[in-house]
Amino acid sequence: MIIEHLSNYNPVFLAFAATLFTWMVTALGSSMVFFFKSINQNLLNAMLGFAAGVMIAASFWSLLKPAIEMAEEAGTTPWVPAVVGFLSGGAFLLIIDKILPHLHLGLSEDKAEGISTSWHRSILLVLAITLHNIPEGLAVGVAFGAVAHNSDPSVLTGAIALAFGIGLQNFPEGAAVSVPLRREGFSRLKAFNYGQLSGIVEPIAGVLGAYLVLSIEPLLPYALSFAAGAMIFVVVEELIPESQSGNKTDLSTIGAMIGFALMMLLDVALG
């Protein structure tokens, strides 16, 4: 009944609402800074591993698999949009990674990536997490945009499952930004604001993704695969290496396994 009611809404509006939810969960995770001044490295590794597992599972179950199925239904070679879109998504994130100034958590300012800039360390740290959120918002937006081209309720429930899964892994990401900033001397309020701001790009990317696939229907399988490629780039380039800090790297592996299994469960059960 709820699914039927939601299907009456414009997919762009649904994408906006869903990515507002994922942003709010980022803010909720960032609010942990009001309760904790530091975060245990092992716990952080497990949380980052969990986020990586969710994104890997979402990339296949919610994005690549539907893209291949849509291409088959359209009578085109199914692997073409999957491969082209996937590699294009990775290339897009690679370009942004080389251009946008950013700094990964735990590194000194001389390790900043992207174009050289005099921006403050805190801005560079937030931009690093923002890179994670671009493909996440895009993925949710594209998934909801697909609803306009397929009336099957499973498409909408799959998009909802994806938004829920992305939101779930945004909680530890929000905490992973704000708590370390607090440890570096920021006030709790300032650390919280920087943490939640890292997720503001998700509604923007979500609306853009939904609007594009609504405007150009043949683009949909490519757009889904593009979002998958961008997410996998983030996982391999940033989340997995960051989750391997310290000696107990098995915790990040366990977190990734749990995150993958949970996202797979959500997508298969709801989608």
Side-chain angles (χ1 to χ4, degrees), residues 10-17 19 92 96 133-146 200-216 219-220 223-224 226-227:
N10 184 291
V12 176
F13 171 78
L14 292 176
F16 179 66
T19 46
F92 173 73
I96 292 182
N133 294 324
I134 292 174
E136 292 171 11
L138 184 64
V140 173
V142 170
F144 277 97
I200 198 172
V201 71
E202 290 197 8
I204 299 171
V207 168
L208 178 62
Y211 178 77
L212 284 176
V213 298
L214 278 176
S215 304
I216 314 173
L219 184 66
L220 183 54
L224 288 166
F226 181 95

Side-chain angles (χ1 to χ4, degrees), residues 59-60 62-89 142-143 145-146 149-150 209 212-214 216-229:
S59 295
F60 176 74
S62 298
L63 299 170
L64 283 174
K65 185 172 179 287
I68 293 170
E69 292 172 348
M70 289 174 188
E72 289 177 336
E73 292 172 1
T76 60
T77 306
W79 60 264
V80 172
V83 172
V84 172
F86 183 84
L87 293 179
S88 297
V142 170
H149 305 302
N150 194 327
L212 284 176
V213 298
L214 278 176
I216 314 173
E217 182 176 354
L219 184 66
L220 183 54
Y222 291 91
L224 288 166
S225 303
F226 181 95

Side-chain angles (χ1 to χ4, degrees), residues 251-264:
L251 293 175
S252 59
T253 303
I254 293 171
M257 296 290 290
I258 293 173
F260 186 98
L262 181 58
M263 187 64 224
M264 179 172 60

